[in-house]
Amino acid sequence: MPRTFRPRLTVVAALLLFLPPLEAAEKSSAYQAALSSISASELGNEVGELADVALEGREAGTAGGHAAGEHLAEQYKRLRFAGAGPEGGYFQPFAPNFRNVLAVLPGSDPKLRDQVIVVGAHYDHLGYGGRSSLGPYGYVHPGADDNASGTSAVLEIAQAFSLLPSPPKRTVLFAHWDAEEKGLLGSKYWVANPTLPREHVAAMINLDMIGRLRENRLNVYGVGSGAGWRRLVSLANEEGLHLAFRYDVSNRADHHPFYATGIPVVMFHTGMHDQYHRPSDAAQLINKEGLEKVARLVFAVAYELADGTASPAFRTATPVDPESPLTGKPVDRLGVGWNDDAATAGGVRVTLVKHDTPAERAGVQTGDLIVRFAGRDIRCDADFFATVSSAESPATVTVVRSESPKPVDLKVELVGDPLRWGFTWRVDEAETGAIILTHVVPGSPADQAGLAIGDRVYRVAGRDFADETEFARLVKTSAESLQLLVERDGRVRHVPLRARLSETIRRAA
Ligand SMILES: [Zn+2]
């Protein structure tokens, strides 16, 4: 098969060490203590209490639902949080006999404390069944995952905030919605009757079913609703979770009423299971260690939103993942097809010279064996890919021909810019200060460093960049090595690229 420039799968040994983002080290020890106060055992105990048969499945408006609300209010009282209900208490009642549980941590910065970050989860479930039960009916539906898991995480995160020596700059509202299972009634009611100024809500985090972490995989929904969500969540992901980002915003969860009024939202969710909306959604099936990881990640995200420089700017979410399609095929700089002839002849054999291309103009012929290009010996495919893509123009190509006793040097005027590091990119519409790799040249420094199509770059040489122009400038001005902060599946790591071809380029220039 003749080869032309096209993406191919490259398998590179995973030399990439997972390293936590730089901020981790910079955060204070008080922050670290608060973070590590979030524990699997406390979360597990709380899920156990909420899912206990005594609360009868926490259906909104029932005795069990009311008892669950009392229990939550008591926890906030114990933590000395102020209530954020309409009268300053913990409850926000609404018809017929439902109630949200609300507590607030006022921000510490006089200029920023008006802004509110909402961390919420619904605490109601299905009681003994009802219309949305998948059966069997007549038994307590404990709703351990749905949503004792999210409820206990909100409490545990609130407790972690309470351990900080001073609150974050912005205000945090901890919200436990009632009657979610009856049609998002609690969250809709709050949005229609906000107890803090709704126009000051900068972001909303929704936790719904986060107790069944499997294979370290966490779904993150709605990242399309705010510019910068994915970057912010990834940089906070010190737990090393595999994050599956979704850009659309479903209208079937409590974050939707917030989104509908122009607030950036994000929802965490560990995925569906066979016990969903059944009496078998029990506490013993909760992955407590997984719940701890998710709750710690959410605390880190909430803290960054509450204390960081900025929160994501609202944008209308696209149902389409901006990663698809990735069309980053670089220009064909030379215009040949070839076979790797490394084993028999030691070079690449030209099988095709395309019409009206640099190769044709330079006099390259079908059957030529290319042994040297731009001052570099060509032994195999990867050499050739990497060299052609990174060479300055004009370049000298050395070919061996059967009719000629000596190798022939040809001067070729390459088209397109040299890809020094061996990757092409485009901007991510949903994120400022991030680019997405659209092509990685086999054998290039980027390939050798293990980079792949779809990887996102957030920093160059330890520095943020504002836009594509600044990114391009930082990449161009790096000489011998290039330090990138790269994200893949929500995991961030430092990737050093080494300019192995620099000598070649200098000689050719
Ligand atoms: Zn549910």
Side-chain angles (χ1 to χ4, degrees):
M1 273 280 289
R3 295 266 176 94
T4 54
F5 279 92
R6 64 190 155 82
R8 68 168 194 182
L9 286 175
T10 52
V11 181
V12 171
L15 299 168
L16 310 171
L17 286 173
F18 171 77
L19 292 170
L22 293 170
E23 292 89 330
E26 294 162 8
K27 288 253 167 75
S28 69
S29 57
Y31 170 86
Q32 294 299 340
L35 181 72
S36 37
S37 76
I38 295 171
S39 80
S41 65
E42 287 183 12
L43 287 159
N45 291 344
E46 187 56 37
V47 169
E49 289 208 36
L50 290 162
D52 193 279
V53 67
L55 295 182
E56 295 181 300
R58 308 183 307 282
E59 183 179 357
T62 67
H66 270 241
E70 294 295 339
H71 165 76
L72 293 171
E74 267 168 40
Q75 303 308 306
Y76 286 102
K77 198 173 167 192
R78 184 177 59 81
L79 294 171
R80 297 169 196 269
F81 278 90
E87 316 301 88
Y90 294 110
F91 295 110
Q92 181 187 35
F94 56 101
N97 59 345
F98 305 149
R99 50 189 194 173
N100 292 327
V101 181
L102 305 166
V104 66
L105 179 63
S108 57
D109 184 312
K111 289 203 188 77
L112 295 174
R113 65 160 59 115
D114 274 359
Q115 297 178 27
V116 181
I117 309 301
V118 180
V119 182
H122 75 88
Y123 73 96
D124 69 306
H125 193 51
L126 303 175
Y128 287 90
R131 277 185 22 221
S132 45
S133 168
L134 298 172
Y137 313 100
Y139 300 90
V140 167
H141 288 52
D145 187 31
D146 184 10
N147 185 29
S149 63
T151 306
S152 65
V154 172
L155 264 180
E156 193 74 357
I157 290 162
Q159 178 179 274
F161 270 104
S162 78
L163 296 173
L164 295 167
S166 69
K169 294 170 186 154
R170 296 177 186 81
T171 294
V172 185
L173 174 68
F174 300 96
H176 298 270
W177 315 116
D178 202 359
E180 185 270 358
E181 303 286 10
K182 297 183 188 295
L184 318 181
L185 301 185
S187 52
K188 281 179 183 167
Y189 186 81
W190 193 92
V191 168
N193 303 275
T195 58
L196 294 171
R198 199 185 65 203
E199 63 276 17
H200 292 167
V201 176
M204 191 272 188
I205 300 173
N206 183 23
L207 306 182
D208 201 349
M209 298 174 65
I210 55 170
R212 296 288 193 92
L213 190 73
R214 282 152 285 176
E215 292 169 347
N216 236 21
R217 186 186 162 89
L218 177 66
N219 298 305
V220 187
Y221 289 93
V223 288
S225 70
W229 262 134
R230 180 175 178 146
R231 186 179 196 274
L232 190 151
V233 175
S234 297
L235 290 175
N237 183 21
E238 288 168 35
E239 304 298 317
L241 290 163
H242 177 125
L243 304 180
F245 291 103
R246 287 277 301 272
Y247 289 78
D248 55 328
V249 177
S250 157
N251 61 6
R252 293 181 53 234
D254 285 319
H255 54 276
H256 191 266
F258 288 82
Y259 171 70
T261 63
I263 294 165
V265 295
V266 69
M267 177 174 103
F268 295 91
H269 180 69
T270 49
M272 292 302 283
H273 46 75
D274 291 344
Q275 294 77 36
Y276 173 72
H277 281 201
R278 293 180 190 275
S280 49
D281 180 4
Q284 61 266 30
L285 295 176
I286 294 295
N287 175 352
K288 288 185 253 176
E289 287 69 31
L291 182 53
E292 176 189 286
K293 286 185 188 180
V294 177
R296 287 185 179 189
L297 168 62
V298 176
F299 173 71
V301 170
Y303 183 84
E304 179 60 31
L305 288 168
D307 203 62
T309 46
S311 49
F314 181 77
R315 62 192 295 274
T316 307
T318 53
V320 184
D321 183 335
E323 274 181 28
S324 56
L326 285 173
T327 50
K329 203 170 150 184
V331 288
D332 185 350
R333 303 191 71 200
L334 184 59
V336 299
W338 73 92
N339 274 335
D340 188 333
D341 219 348
T344 52
V348 298
R349 182 77 65 187
V350 175
T351 56
L352 169 78
V353 178
K354 292 178 197 163
H355 181 56
D356 196 22
T357 59
E360 190 190 61
R361 286 190 285 275
V364 176
Q365 296 170 11
T366 301
D368 282 354
L369 183 75
I370 298 176
V371 294
R372 207 166 161 76
F373 196 100
R376 185 183 162 106
D377 290 337
I378 303 298
R379 292 177 208 88
C380 61
D381 255 4
D383 285 347
F384 192 54
F385 269 117
T387 308
V388 173
S389 69
S390 64
E392 299 286 339
S393 181
T396 300
V397 53
T398 306
V399 302
V400 176
R401 286 175 178 162
S402 48
E403 72 269 23
S404 164
K406 282 167 79 179
V408 181
D409 280 348
L410 304 167
K411 192 175 151 193
V412 59
E413 301 274 353
L414 299 167
V415 294
D417 290 329
L419 295 178
R420 173 99 186 279
W421 303 101
F423 60 81
T424 60
W425 71 84
R426 68 165 171 76
V427 291
D428 178 352
E429 287 161 37
E431 311 275 325
T432 49
I435 58 94
I436 311 176
L437 298 194
T438 51
H439 183 75
V440 175
V441 176
S444 67
D447 183 30
Q448 283 165 349
L451 295 182
I453 292 171
D455 283 350
R456 282 144 195 272
V457 179
Y458 293 147
R459 286 194 187 120
V460 181
R463 292 170 57 185
D464 290 345
F465 50 91
D467 53 26
E468 193 184 12
T469 315
E470 197 181 341
F471 176 75
R473 190 175 52 73
L474 286 169
V475 166
K476 271 215 178 90
T477 52
S478 300
E480 295 302 310
S481 70
L482 184 65
Q483 285 284 341
L484 301 179
L485 188 68
V486 177
E487 179 248 308
R488 186 185 298 170
D489 296 328
R491 282 177 280 203
V492 174
R493 61 209 192 288
H494 298 282
V495 179
L497 272 60
R498 300 200 199 296
R500 290 178 68 250
L501 301 174
S502 56
E503 199 189 322
T504 304
I505 291 164
R506 232 181 279 129
R507 265 196 271 163

